[in-house]
Amino acid sequence: MNVVFTILAVLIIIASVFLTIVVLLQNSKGGGLASNFAAGNQTFGVRQTADILEKITWGLVAFVFVVAIVSSFVTTGNTKGGMDVTDQIERSIEESRPQFPPVQGAPAQEAPAQEAPAAEAE
């Protein structure tokens, strides 16, 4: 399952880089990087180029959204025995504690006695 998560994470990163490039290419009110590509605008026309870039943007956004949700399901299905992450951490802490052998000939240790609350004098 770890390989699947890695592949999904790489896909999200690649799609995010493409999304950044497409957003920078779009023509904003102040003129974006798309205004520098005059040949593309002459071939498709200004409106068609903007439509294509907008469709690519929404497609990449939807792709990142869907892959992020799928990867969250992949990671939740990756827990051992149905435990969540905090249970796994607590179990690993318990397992990593050193186990000391009992001391030979020493009396068993008892829990310290608790003092009874003092009775108040009236």
Side-chain angles (χ1 to χ4, degrees):
M1 288 287 186
N2 199 8
V3 175
V4 174
F5 178 75
T6 305
I7 292 171
L8 293 175
V10 169
L11 286 175
I12 289 175
I13 292 170
I14 291 170
S16 300
V17 169
F18 284 143
L19 182 63
T20 303
I21 292 170
V22 170
V23 167
L24 288 175
L25 285 175
Q26 290 181 4
N27 191 8
S28 63
K29 292 179 182 177
L33 292 176
S35 62
N36 294 337
F37 297 105
N41 288 341
Q42 290 175 357
T43 306
F44 297 112
V46 176
R47 185 66 198 152
Q48 288 179 341
T49 303
D51 287 342
I52 291 171
L53 289 175
E54 185 175 353
K55 288 177 184 177
I56 292 172
T57 301
W58 283 109
L60 287 171
V61 167
F63 178 77
V64 169
F65 184 73
V66 169
V67 174
I69 290 175
V70 168
S71 67
S72 72
F73 284 116
V74 168
T75 56
T76 56
N78 198 14
T79 59
K80 297 177 183 176
M83 294 186 300
D84 63 350
V85 176
T86 55
D87 289 339
Q88 289 179 5
I89 292 171
E90 289 174 0
R91 175 179 268 179
S92 66
I93 290 172
E94 289 294 325
E95 291 173 354
S96 66
R97 287 187 181 165
Q99 300 295 326
F100 297 109
V103 177
Q104 297 292 332
Q109 290 184 348
E110 297 179 10
Q114 294 180 351
E115 295 182 20
E120 295 181 19
E122 294 181 19

